[in-house]
Amino acid sequence: MTVIELRINEIAQGFLTGEQGNLWFSNLNAAAKSETLRSLSRFVVQSHPTNDEVSRAIVESGLNPNFTPCVLISKLELKSALHKINLLPDIEMDKSLYLLISLFAISDSRRRSVSCVNGCKHWWHNLKSV
């Protein structure tokens, strides 16, 4: 587990507030921000979000649905959308983080409550012991 992977999961599961997560992300250099978004994209894919969860994430992120990351994630197949989001210019990184954290938080919460309800070995589902 990397620090980036840990922080992503702490934010998504509410161990860090959105404000704390934003502060952490804003203090990263551009390369680390890109790495964070790539890691977050992998987590999103692994959480298998539904179309309804994508729509909820756009709303819960507080972003304008016409912002580029929101349009991409709502109009394209998930892996293609994530690939394009990761290629967006630096000015879109904060928006991309807010959207993808919201999506991961929603879809992984469902996954924890359905697939892992009786416990699991996913380290990110057991952060209390990390």
Side-chain angles (χ1 to χ4, degrees):
M1 150 187 39
T2 69
V3 171
I4 287 173
E5 292 169 337
L6 179 60
R7 289 295 170 266
I8 288 169
N9 281 281
E10 287 174 332
I11 298 164
Q13 293 180 42
F15 289 103
L16 292 177
T17 65
E19 185 176 313
Q20 290 170 316
N22 295 339
L23 180 61
W24 166 75
F25 190 73
S26 68
N27 286 319
L28 297 176
N29 62 36
K33 286 182 178 183
S34 291
E35 182 182 344
T36 299
L37 291 175
R38 285 190 305 273
S39 293
L40 181 50
S41 293
R42 286 190 300 274
F43 285 141
V44 167
V45 168
Q46 291 172 355
S47 68
H48 306 287
T50 65
N51 290 336
D52 288 342
E53 289 169 341
V54 168
S55 297
R56 271 185 55 207
I58 293 170
V59 171
E60 290 185 20
S61 71
L63 296 173
N64 182 318
N66 294 317
F67 285 163
T68 303
C70 298
V71 171
L72 291 171
I73 202 89
S74 65
K75 301 291 183 194
L76 301 177
E77 183 270 328
L78 181 65
K79 287 183 182 179
S80 179
L82 293 170
H83 176 73
K84 289 182 182 278
I85 287 170
N86 283 295
L87 296 175
L88 290 173
D90 292 355
I91 196 160
E92 298 288 340
M93 286 184 168
D94 288 348
K95 294 174 199 165
S96 298
L97 176 77
Y98 303 152
L99 174 62
L100 296 182
I101 282 285
S102 291
L103 180 54
F104 179 55
I106 293 165
S107 58
D108 197 54
S109 177
R110 172 198 28 87
R111 191 170 177 216
R112 283 191 316 275
S113 69
V114 174
S115 302
C116 300
V117 68
N118 294 319
C120 65
K121 295 187 190 237
H122 300 120
W123 67 261
W124 58 94
H125 290 169
N126 298 293
L127 287 183
K128 294 174 189 136
S129 62
V130 171

